[in-house]
Amino acid sequence: MEPEKLDLRSHDLAEDKKQELWRLFPEIRAEGGKIDFERLKLALGEMVDAGKERYGMNWPGKADCFKTIQAPSMGTLLPCREESVNFEATENLIIEGDNLEVLKLLQKSYLGRVKMIYIDPPYNTGNDFIYPDNYTESLQTYLEYTGQVDAEGRKFSNNLESDGRFHSKWLNMMYPRLFLARNLLREDGVIFISIDDGEVDNLKRVCNEVFGEGQFMAQIIVQSNKRGQTYKEIAKTHEYLLVYTKGEDVEFNELEKDADALPYKDSKGLFDLWELRNRNPKFGKFNRPNLFYSIYVAPTIVDECGYAKVSLRPSSDFSIEVVPLNSLGQEGCWRWGKDKVASSDLASSTPELVARQRRDGQWNIYERARKSTTKAKSIWTETDVISEQGTIELGEIGLADYFEHPKPKGLLSKCMYVGSQSEDLILDFFAGSGTTAHAVLELNNQDNGNRKFILVQLPEPTGRNDFPTIADITKERVRRVIKKLTQSRRDAEKTPELDLRDSAAPREIDLGFKVFKLAESNFKTWHANVESGNTAALQEQLELHVDHLREGRTNDDILYEILIKSGYPLTTPVETLTLAGKKVYSAAGGLFFICLERKLTLELIRAMAERKPERVVCLDEGFSGNDQLKANAVQIFKTKGVTSFKTV
């Protein structure tokens, strides 16, 4: 009896969708694991649009986008402890690599875990992003680009406007990434995308297709500078934020009002006065009869602020009748129902409903509104916080000359206030200078939150010796922010000096990050489709079968590949155990055992089984030449209730 083989591919999205279709429509399953589309059409009936002409968005290469999405990644993410901060304890990630491949590798482990995504993708100005010539070989292209394998020439090139497929190339770059990113969002997740006039229309159409038109929340205008770009007749002073949600029931947080938003004060605190009547002519007695009724005013009975008190019953004191009139002077309606008015404490010294006489002698009914928050608006104009600050903020940590046009952290903070809570996971797969991490760390420092971040950045060359790639700048910025915040907390708490890289150092907030780098799998791939008669290729495959571990890789490298390809996050706690004199990695509180010993023993198998983990993965090499031990391991683990035993 043989154990299962661990699947080293990234998550198979097409297989997921097929299984879901089979679950919903079992009658469409055809021989050979295929889908019978004729039966599917019959099952759906009139819902099928069979017309040749339909509304939609198409461009050259769109069909290949789906092939790109469905092509699994055979890469891995190698841990880089020496470039990390507080590696063992932190739950923050900075991943260096092509974000398309990284998003594929995150599908198993982070499916439906991310609350908020912010991205500032290339705006497609002609020189602001590099485009791989062959997306179907994106991992190979990346390895050649970063010099990890030999190549005749770089397979990345700028997307020049003179190219006849200028917009198509940009769409081919964005579509698969957005598709994969959507899978990572929680059902209540939200994505914010910065963009300018050049591609905003195309981006919105793509997002309508990927997320659904009904999930469009807003196209926010962000004043990016006061002076404007003056190379055209009208100076452009703004950019956009497109906001989409994954599910239907997504709650957005409200923002704190300005200090002067509550101009009045009584013994209960600050308040504003909001008219109780609904001024909109679309609503009134004709369609909201239950909201049309009389309220009576006592002009001589006033509260502590001098406002007249009101009642639902007329009397000698409450003698002035007020009915709601809309903005056209017609019979309108109130915002509150009669029961809500009756349940409010109208007799208190500071009632929530009061009356005030207008200059024309008429009376208005007001609600004392004490709410200190307000919904986010679709125009953001705080230029001192959300624009023109990015370079200044980099300058404060000594990196102003290293990155052009960084996004200000105030913009990211506002997005996080609106779209996430203090315990949420936030993803940015166009990380740039690392503004998203900067904003997360500072927000956590301000409110003792526990937000986590995942940054992904391509190591684009900078031509510099100190920071050779943009990914190096990303990591350095976050290091400097952590150092600055750590020092400020020490100063405030008067604690002894602590080493940033000391994983045992106590911290109230997570001031660290794990670094991972995209690379080929630790395991050499066996290709069964070798051409007949190709002796050299066949010999190579036989050698791979004997020794399939890539040279130079450590147990740490192998451990994290097994974790992520088994569906565990890269921040899963791992404990090292010694069982039967051998090393075993215990993940997720003992639920998952990973043994990378090259020579397994029956005593070790029994020792692992006695701990009763749910899942176990061992190296094939550990059973080399001992098929009987492998068969015994299958039976022993099964007897002890291990639900999954796989080898790799």
Coordinates of all heavy atoms in Angstrom, one line a residue, residues 508-552:
E508 N 4.1 44.7 22.4 CA 2.7 44.8 22.4 C 2.1 44.7 21.1 O 0.9 44.3 20.9 CB 2.3 46.2 23.1 CG 2.7 46.3 24.6 CD 2.2 47.6 25.2 OE1 1.5 48.3 24.5 OE2 2.7 47.9 26.3
I509 N 2.8 45.2 20.0 CA 2.3 45.1 18.7 C 3.3 44.3 17.8 O 4.5 44.2 18.2 CB 2.0 46.5 18.1 CG1 3.3 47.3 18.0 CG2 0.9 47.2 18.8 CD1 3.1 48.6 17.3
D510 N 2.9 43.9 16.7 CA 3.8 43.1 15.8 C 4.7 44.0 15.0 O 4.3 44.6 14.0 CB 2.9 42.3 14.9 CG 3.8 41.3 14.0 OD1 5.0 41.4 14.0 OD2 3.2 40.4 13.5
L511 N 5.9 44.2 15.4 CA 6.9 45.0 14.8 C 7.9 44.1 14.1 O 9.1 43.9 14.6 CB 7.6 46.0 15.7 CG 6.7 47.1 16.3 CD1 7.4 47.9 17.3 CD2 6.2 48.0 15.1
G512 N 7.5 43.5 13.0 CA 8.4 42.6 12.3 C 7.8 42.2 11.0 O 6.7 42.6 10.6
F513 N 8.6 41.4 10.2 CA 8.1 40.8 9.0 C 9.0 39.7 8.5 O 10.2 39.7 8.7 CB 8.0 41.9 7.8 CG 9.3 42.5 7.5 CD1 10.2 42.0 6.5 CD2 9.7 43.7 8.1 CE1 11.4 42.6 6.2 CE2 10.9 44.4 7.8 CZ 11.7 43.8 6.8
K514 N 8.4 38.7 7.9 CA 9.1 37.6 7.3 C 9.3 37.9 5.8 O 8.4 38.3 5.2 CB 8.2 36.3 7.4 CG 8.1 35.6 8.8 CD 7.2 34.4 8.7 CE 7.3 33.5 9.9 NZ 6.6 34.1 11.1
V515 N 10.5 37.6 5.3 CA 10.8 37.8 3.9 C 10.8 36.4 3.2 O 11.4 35.5 3.8 CB 12.1 38.5 3.7 CG1 12.5 38.5 2.2 CG2 12.1 39.9 4.3
F516 N 10.1 36.3 2.1 CA 10.2 35.1 1.3 C 10.5 35.6 -0.2 O 10.1 36.7 -0.6 CB 8.8 34.4 1.3 CG 8.5 33.7 2.6 CD1 8.0 34.3 3.6 CD2 8.9 32.3 2.7 CE1 7.7 33.7 4.8 CE2 8.6 31.7 3.9 CZ 8.1 32.3 5.0
K517 N 11.1 34.7 -0.9 CA 11.5 35.0 -2.3 C 11.0 33.9 -3.2 O 11.2 32.7 -2.9 CB 13.0 35.2 -2.4 CG 13.5 36.4 -1.6 CD 15.0 36.6 -1.8 CE 15.5 37.8 -1.0 NZ 16.9 38.2 -1.3
L518 N 10.4 34.3 -4.3 CA 9.9 33.4 -5.3 C 11.1 32.6 -6.0 O 12.1 33.2 -6.4 CB 9.1 34.1 -6.4 CG 8.6 33.3 -7.5 CD1 7.5 32.3 -7.0 CD2 7.9 34.2 -8.6
A519 N 10.9 31.3 -6.1 CA 12.0 30.5 -6.8 C 11.3 29.2 -7.3 O 10.2 29.0 -7.1 CB 13.1 30.2 -5.8
E520 N 12.2 28.4 -8.0 CA 11.7 27.1 -8.5 C 11.4 26.3 -7.3 O 12.0 26.4 -6.2 CB 12.8 26.5 -9.3 CG 12.9 27.0 -10.7 CD 14.0 26.3 -11.5 OE1 15.2 26.5 -11.1 OE2 13.7 25.5 -12.4
S521 N 10.5 25.3 -7.5 CA 10.2 24.3 -6.4 C 11.5 23.7 -5.9 O 12.5 23.5 -6.6 CB 9.2 23.3 -6.9 OG 9.1 22.2 -6.0
N522 N 11.5 23.3 -4.6 CA 12.6 22.6 -4.1 C 12.7 21.2 -4.7 O 13.7 20.5 -4.5 CB 12.4 22.4 -2.6 CG 12.5 23.8 -1.9 OD1 13.6 24.4 -1.7 ND2 11.3 24.3 -1.4
F523 N 11.6 20.7 -5.3 CA 11.6 19.4 -5.8 C 11.6 19.4 -7.4 O 10.8 20.1 -8.0 CB 10.3 18.7 -5.4 CG 10.2 18.7 -3.9 CD1 9.5 19.7 -3.2 CD2 10.8 17.7 -3.1 CE1 9.3 19.7 -1.8 CE2 10.6 17.7 -1.7 CZ 9.9 18.7 -1.1
K524 N 12.6 18.7 -7.9 CA 12.7 18.6 -9.4 C 11.5 17.9 -10.0 O 11.0 16.9 -9.4 CB 14.0 17.9 -9.8 CG 15.2 18.5 -9.3 CD 16.4 17.7 -9.5 CE 17.7 18.2 -8.8 NZ 18.8 17.3 -8.9
T525 N 10.9 18.5 -11.1 CA 9.7 18.0 -11.6 C 10.0 16.8 -12.5 O 10.8 16.8 -13.4 CB 9.0 19.1 -12.4 OG1 8.8 20.2 -11.6 CG2 7.6 18.6 -12.9
W526 N 9.2 15.7 -12.3 CA 9.3 14.5 -13.2 C 8.3 14.7 -14.4 O 7.2 15.0 -14.2 CB 8.9 13.3 -12.4 CG 8.6 12.1 -13.3 CD1 7.3 11.7 -13.7 CD2 9.5 11.1 -13.8 NE1 7.4 10.6 -14.5 CE2 8.8 10.2 -14.5 CE3 10.9 11.0 -13.6 CZ2 9.4 9.1 -15.1 CZ3 11.5 9.9 -14.2 CH2 10.7 9.0 -15.0
H527 N 8.9 14.6 -15.6 CA 8.0 14.8 -16.8 C 7.9 13.4 -17.4 O 8.8 12.8 -17.9 CB 8.7 15.7 -17.8 CG 8.9 17.1 -17.3 ND1 7.8 17.9 -17.2 CD2 10.0 17.8 -16.9 CE1 8.2 19.1 -16.7 NE2 9.5 19.1 -16.6
A528 N 6.6 12.9 -17.5 CA 6.4 11.6 -18.0 C 6.3 11.6 -19.5 O 6.3 10.5 -20.2 CB 5.1 11.0 -17.4
N529 N 6.2 12.8 -20.2 CA 6.0 12.8 -21.6 C 7.3 13.0 -22.4 O 7.4 13.9 -23.3 CB 5.0 14.0 -21.9 CG 5.4 15.3 -21.4 OD1 6.3 15.3 -20.5 ND2 4.8 16.4 -21.8
V530 N 8.3 12.3 -22.0 CA 9.6 12.4 -22.7 C 9.4 11.8 -24.1 O 8.8 10.7 -24.2 CB 10.7 11.7 -21.9 CG1 12.0 11.7 -22.7 CG2 10.9 12.4 -20.5
E531 N 10.0 12.4 -25.1 CA 9.9 11.9 -26.5 C 10.5 10.5 -26.6 O 11.6 10.3 -26.0 CB 10.6 12.9 -27.4 CG 9.9 14.2 -27.6 CD 10.7 15.1 -28.6 OE1 11.4 14.5 -29.4 OE2 10.5 16.3 -28.5
S532 N 9.9 9.7 -27.3 CA 10.4 8.3 -27.5 C 11.7 8.4 -28.3 O 11.8 9.1 -29.3 CB 9.4 7.5 -28.3 OG 9.9 6.2 -28.6
G533 N 12.7 7.7 -27.8 CA 14.0 7.7 -28.5 C 15.0 8.8 -28.0 O 16.1 8.7 -28.4
N534 N 14.5 9.7 -27.1 CA 15.3 10.7 -26.6 C 16.0 10.2 -25.4 O 15.6 10.4 -24.2 CB 14.5 12.0 -26.3 CG 15.4 13.2 -26.0 OD1 16.6 13.0 -25.6 ND2 14.9 14.4 -26.2
T535 N 17.2 9.5 -25.6 CA 17.9 8.8 -24.5 C 18.4 9.7 -23.4 O 18.3 9.5 -22.2 CB 19.1 8.0 -25.1 OG1 18.6 7.2 -26.2 CG2 19.7 7.1 -24.0
A536 N 18.9 10.9 -23.9 CA 19.5 11.9 -22.9 C 18.4 12.4 -22.0 O 18.6 12.5 -20.8 CB 20.2 13.0 -23.6
A537 N 17.2 12.7 -22.6 CA 16.1 13.3 -21.8 C 15.6 12.2 -20.8 O 15.3 12.5 -19.7 CB 15.0 13.8 -22.7
L538 N 15.5 11.0 -21.3 CA 15.0 9.9 -20.4 C 16.0 9.7 -19.3 O 15.5 9.4 -18.1 CB 14.9 8.6 -21.3 CG 14.3 7.4 -20.5 CD1 13.0 7.7 -19.9 CD2 14.3 6.2 -21.4
Q539 N 17.3 9.7 -19.6 CA 18.3 9.5 -18.5 C 18.2 10.6 -17.5 O 18.3 10.3 -16.2 CB 19.7 9.5 -19.1 CG 20.8 9.4 -18.1 CD 20.9 8.0 -17.4 OE1 20.4 7.0 -18.0 NE2 21.3 8.0 -16.2
E540 N 17.9 11.9 -17.9 CA 17.8 13.0 -17.0 C 16.6 12.8 -16.1 O 16.6 13.0 -14.9 CB 17.6 14.3 -17.8 CG 17.5 15.5 -16.9 CD 17.3 16.8 -17.7 OE1 17.5 16.8 -18.9 OE2 17.0 17.8 -17.0
Q541 N 15.5 12.3 -16.7 CA 14.3 12.1 -15.9 C 14.5 10.9 -14.8 O 14.0 11.0 -13.7 CB 13.1 11.7 -16.8 CG 12.6 12.9 -17.6 CD 12.2 14.1 -16.7 OE1 11.4 14.0 -15.8 NE2 12.8 15.3 -17.0
L542 N 15.2 9.9 -15.2 CA 15.5 8.8 -14.3 C 16.3 9.3 -13.1 O 16.1 8.9 -12.0 CB 16.2 7.7 -15.1 CG 15.4 6.9 -16.0 CD1 16.2 5.9 -16.8 CD2 14.3 6.1 -15.3
E543 N 17.3 10.2 -13.4 CA 18.1 10.8 -12.4 C 17.3 11.6 -11.4 O 17.5 11.6 -10.2 CB 19.2 11.6 -13.0 CG 20.3 10.8 -13.7 CD 21.3 11.6 -14.4 OE1 21.2 12.9 -14.3 OE2 22.2 11.1 -15.0
L544 N 16.3 12.3 -12.0 CA 15.4 13.1 -11.1 C 14.6 12.2 -10.2 O 14.3 12.6 -9.1 CB 14.4 14.0 -12.0 CG 15.0 15.1 -12.7 CD1 13.9 15.8 -13.6 CD2 15.6 16.1 -11.8
H545 N 14.2 11.0 -10.7 CA 13.4 10.1 -9.9 C 14.2 9.6 -8.8 O 13.6 9.3 -7.7 CB 12.9 9.0 -10.8 CG 11.9 8.1 -10.2 ND1 10.7 8.5 -9.8 CD2 12.0 6.8 -9.8 CE1 10.0 7.5 -9.2 NE2 10.8 6.4 -9.2
V546 N 15.5 9.5 -8.9 CA 16.4 9.0 -7.9 C 16.7 10.1 -6.9 O 16.6 9.9 -5.6 CB 17.7 8.5 -8.5 CG1 18.7 8.1 -7.3 CG2 17.4 7.3 -9.4
D547 N 17.0 11.3 -7.3 CA 17.3 12.4 -6.4 C 16.6 13.6 -6.9 O 17.0 14.4 -7.8 CB 18.8 12.7 -6.5 CG 19.2 13.8 -5.5 OD1 18.4 14.2 -4.7 OD2 20.4 14.3 -5.6
H548 N 15.4 13.8 -6.4 CA 14.5 14.9 -6.9 C 14.6 16.2 -6.0 O 13.8 17.1 -6.3 CB 13.1 14.4 -6.9 CG 12.4 14.1 -5.6 ND1 12.9 13.1 -4.8 CD2 11.4 14.6 -5.0 CE1 12.2 13.0 -3.7 NE2 11.3 13.9 -3.8
L549 N 15.4 16.2 -5.0 CA 15.6 17.5 -4.3 C 16.6 18.4 -5.0 O 17.7 17.9 -5.4 CB 16.0 17.2 -2.9 CG 15.0 16.6 -1.9 CD1 15.6 16.2 -0.6 CD2 13.9 17.6 -1.7
R550 N 16.3 19.6 -5.1 CA 17.2 20.6 -5.8 C 18.4 20.9 -4.9 O 18.2 21.1 -3.7 CB 16.4 21.9 -6.1 CG 16.9 22.6 -7.3 CD 16.0 23.7 -7.7 NE 14.7 23.2 -8.2 CZ 14.5 22.7 -9.4 NH1 15.5 22.7 -10.3 NH2 13.3 22.3 -9.8
E551 N 19.5 21.0 -5.5 CA 20.8 21.2 -4.7 C 20.7 22.6 -4.1 O 20.2 23.5 -4.6 CB 22.0 21.1 -5.7 CG 22.3 19.7 -6.2 CD 23.5 19.7 -7.0 OE1 24.3 20.7 -7.0 OE2 23.7 18.7 -7.7
G552 N 21.4 22.6 -2.9 CA 21.5 23.9 -2.2 C 20.3 24.3 -1.4 O 20.3 25.4 -0.7

